[in-house]
Structure formats: C-alpha cells, structure tokens
Amino acid sequence: MACPVQFLCRGLRTVGLVLLYYVFSIGITFYNKWLMKGFHYPLFMTLVHLTINFCLSALTRVAMQWWTGKPRIVLSWTDYRLKVAPTALATALDIGLSNWSFLFITISLYTMTKSSAVLFILFFSLVFKLEEMSPFLILVVLLISSGLFMSTFQSTQFNLEGFIMVLLASFIGGIRWTLTQVLMQKAELGLQNPVDAIYHLQPLMFLGLFPLFLYNEGLSLCTSEKLFRVTELSPLLYSLFTLSIGGSLAFGLGFSEFLLVSRTSSLTLSISGIFKEVCTLILAAALIGDQMSMLNWLGFAVCLCGISLHVGLKAYSKNKVPSLRQLNSKSPELELPLLQQKRDGAEDSAADEYNDEEEEITLH
C-alpha cells in the first residue's frame, strides 16, 4: 500500500510545483503588460526588479548559510569582472528589451516571438561547440522558423517596432543562456546554485542597463508626476508597491524553476514550459482580447512542434551522455550537455535526502 501512496504523493507534489511555476511565469508576463499601460518606463521597472532580486537573493544566501552552516561563495574581483560581466550584460539587455517591447506589442505576439529564442540558443551552442550539428537540429530550426513566420503573418495586432525588440531580445537571449551555461559549468567559480548566480549577476546587470535607462528614460522620469514630481505621498507609494510586485514575481519565477527541477527533472520543466506557452495565449485571448487568425494559431502549433522535438532529442541524448562522475574525471569544463547543469547537492537544503542522486537542470 505504501507504493501507491508514495506515487500519489509524488504526483501531487509535481502538480503543485508546476502550478507554482505557472503562477510566477504567467503572472509576471501579464503583470508587465498591465503595468506598461500606465507606467511607460520599462527600463526603470527592470532596474527596480534587479534591485529587489539582489536583495532577496542576498537574504536567501544568509538563510541558506544559517541552515547548512557553510559559507556561501564570493567571487574575486578578477573573476567577477572578466567571467561574470559578459553574462550579466547579455542578461540585462535580454530582460530590458523584453520588458520594453510590452509598450508596443500584445502578449500573444510577444509569446510567439519569444519562442524563437531556441533558434538562437542552438546557433550559439554550435558556435561555442556545445552542440553538434545533426539533421534533427536542422529540422528543429526549420519548424520553429516556419512556425514563427506563420504565427506573425498578417497579424491584425502586429507592431514592427515591438516585434524587432522581442526578436533582438531572443537573439541576445541565445548569447545569454550560452554564456550562462559556460559560467555555471565552471566548477572553480562555484556558481552552480542559481541563488548564488542571481546574487552575483544582478549588480553588473544593473550597471549594464543603467546607461541605456539614462539615455532613454532618465529625463522624462525625472519630470514624471508618478515618481519625482509627485504632489502627494499616496501615488508614490502606489508606484513603488506595484514595482515591487514585479521584482518579487521575477525572483519567485527563478526560484520556482529551480525547485521544480530539483524535485522532479529538467524534462518536467521543459514540457511544462511548452504547455505554459499555450496557457498564456489562451488567457491572453480570453482576458485581454488578443486576436489571432487560424494561420497564426497553426504557426504557433508548428513552432511548438519544433520545441517539443528539441526537448525530446535532449531527453533521448541524455541517456547516451556519460555519467557526471566520468565527465568530471576528464574535465570540469565539460560536465553537462547544452543548457544543463549538475545540481549542487551540498548547497541544497534537501541534500541529505538526495545525496546519491545526480540531477541535471535545464536553464530557461
């Protein structure tokens, strides 16, 4: 009787973790779109989110250090400047452009265009020789490319400026995740835990995005009655409160992704991400009134087929990859396949329970 009960508990736990991931992921998408309707400063919003992420990650590190009794990693200035800075700059531009695009495009167009990030991740993984060219990868590229074209073809709510922003963000996102993988695979840096990675990335991301903010939004924000020219305290507190919600959602999204993978698998997160895209489009059509033609829906389905094929190939190749211990014995630089990292069991609060397990994390 114990086995069915354990199976049921494990299933309920997985469903709960997936729903938690959906709440943060879908929630921050609709939040950004809602906030941009009345607050036209997406770069400033992103800077506030980065600040909140840094504070929450610092508090989490303190709590983890108190719980485990082991000190957290702190990088030297040389490693921080030379090895973390490129990843931080790419991440800042990816997030900043994505948030900026909500001023111009709908959630549906954003979701469909952002799916093209897989193409650029594959491209840069080939450039950095993290993936090998194969006929299946070519098929994945063709499916996603054709699906993206169909999903945006003659869209009634198409905006070229916003579309270019999201496409550029997807391109930079390919660089971002490739550099993130390389960064987190370097065992000597000790950034295998996402909380430590978030803590070290946020300050440089802030500094990288700040000049663009000054150039594009600095003057107008200084003369805005929503923040610096307020005549009453309540509007200022309301603006700060709404901005803090987004920062909390952003941190919760990263933490829920890590929690989902650490308790289930990277494949669960990948499959959940596919269905999350569908849920986002359905909710956008039902709640906001986003319009999509039959050709747009068909293109999105083709795009999802390409992403699903890529996920399936990663799951299949996972069985053919040598064990992590074998890879570690050869070289610490080649621990994992594309977009995957070994879970640092010594830093996780449930390390004793999973001490002998080897888990892999897919970054999204």
Side-chain angles (χ1 to χ4, degrees):
M1 186 66 181
C3 290
V5 172
Q6 291 179 355
F7 180 79
L8 179 61
C9 293
R10 184 175 300 177
L12 292 176
R13 183 185 65 182
T14 301
V15 172
L17 292 175
V18 170
L19 292 178
L20 181 66
Y21 162 63
Y22 279 12
V23 167
F24 285 112
S25 183
I26 299 177
I28 195 171
T29 301
F30 281 85
Y31 159 84
N32 287 336
K33 182 61 179 178
W34 168 78
L35 186 63
M36 288 300 99
K37 291 181 178 180
F39 189 85
H40 303 295
Y41 304 100
L43 298 180
F44 177 76
M45 178 191 73
T46 305
L47 293 179
V48 174
H49 292 178
L50 295 178
T51 304
I52 295 175
N53 276 348
F54 175 76
C55 295
L56 292 178
S57 62
L59 292 176
T60 305
R61 279 165 53 92
V62 172
M64 294 172 66
Q65 182 172 335
W66 174 81
W67 180 263
T68 61
K70 297 180 180 180
R72 309 306 303 174
I73 185 70
V74 178
L75 296 181
S76 65
W77 173 246
T78 302
D79 289 337
Y80 193 58
R81 178 170 49 90
L82 298 179
K83 299 179 180 180
V84 178
T87 305
L89 180 60
T91 304
L93 292 176
D94 178 17
I95 298 176
L97 288 172
S98 297
N99 291 338
W100 198 350
S101 67
F102 279 113
L103 288 175
F104 308 99
I105 63 174
T106 62
I107 291 179
S108 300
L109 184 58
Y110 169 83
T111 302
M112 292 183 292
T113 308
K114 196 66 175 176
S115 300
S116 64
V118 178
L119 292 177
F120 300 110
I121 293 174
L122 288 175
F123 171 76
F124 286 106
S125 67
L126 293 174
V127 172
F128 284 88
K129 297 182 179 180
L130 299 173
E131 286 276 3
E132 295 181 358
M133 178 61 70
S134 69
F136 290 105
L137 282 182
I138 296 177
L139 180 59
V140 168
V141 171
L142 291 177
L143 285 174
I144 297 178
S145 301
S146 58
L148 178 63
F149 174 77
M150 294 168 60
S151 62
T152 57
F153 182 73
Q154 292 184 346
S155 175
T156 57
Q157 296 174 307
F158 182 81
N159 182 281
L160 181 60
E161 187 175 1
F163 175 75
I164 292 177
M165 283 186 179
V166 181
L167 205 59
L168 183 58
S170 299
F171 175 80
I172 299 175
I175 305 176
R176 165 195 179 184
W177 289 120
T178 305
L179 293 177
T180 300
Q181 178 194 353
V182 175
L183 178 69
M184 299 185 74
Q185 283 181 353
K186 292 181 181 295
E188 68 273 14
L189 292 180
L191 295 181
Q192 287 82 4
N193 191 293
V195 175
D196 293 325
I198 292 174
Y199 174 81
H200 285 87
L201 284 172
Q202 304 309 300
L204 287 178
M205 290 172 60
F206 187 98
L207 294 177
L209 198 61
F210 191 74
L212 184 60
F213 155 73
L214 287 180
Y215 175 78
N216 189 70
E217 300 177 0
L219 182 60
S220 60
L221 184 65
C222 290
T223 58
S224 171
E225 295 183 356
K226 292 183 177 295
L227 289 175
F228 294 103
R229 289 184 58 199
V230 293
T231 56
E232 297 180 1
L233 183 60
S234 56
L236 176 61
L237 295 177
Y238 176 77
S239 298
L240 295 178
F241 174 73
T242 54
L243 289 172
S244 64
I245 293 176
S248 303
L249 288 174
F251 182 80
L253 174 59
F255 191 79
S256 64
E257 288 178 339
F258 172 69
L259 192 62
L260 177 60
V261 174
S262 63
R263 298 297 182 179
T264 57
S265 68
S266 60
L267 183 61
T268 302
L269 178 60
S270 301
I271 296 175
S272 301
I274 296 174
F275 285 100
K276 184 209 69 176
E277 308 284 359
V278 179
C279 294
T280 302
L281 287 183
I282 294 175
L283 289 175
L287 300 179
I288 304 181
D290 287 2
Q291 300 176 5
M292 292 178 60
S293 65
M294 185 60 65
L295 180 63
N296 298 148
W297 280 106
L298 180 60
F300 182 66
V302 173
C303 191
L304 287 184
C305 288
I307 298 175
S308 302
L309 176 60
H310 177 63
V311 172
L313 291 175
K314 298 303 296 182
Y316 176 76
S317 63
K318 183 178 179 180
N319 297 326
K320 294 188 175 183
V321 175
S323 68
L324 292 173
R325 291 191 179 93
Q326 292 174 345
L327 288 173
N328 290 336
S329 65
K330 297 178 182 178
S331 171
E333 299 288 336
L334 301 175
E335 292 180 350
L336 303 167
L338 176 64
L339 304 183
Q340 295 179 338
Q341 70 178 71
K342 182 180 179 181
R343 177 190 173 196
D344 188 352
E347 294 180 339
D348 191 89
S349 60
D352 294 334
E353 179 182 355
Y354 296 97
N355 189 39
D356 295 327
E357 291 187 6
E358 293 173 338
E359 300 186 71
E360 296 175 332
I361 294 180
T362 297
L363 299 176
H364 285 263

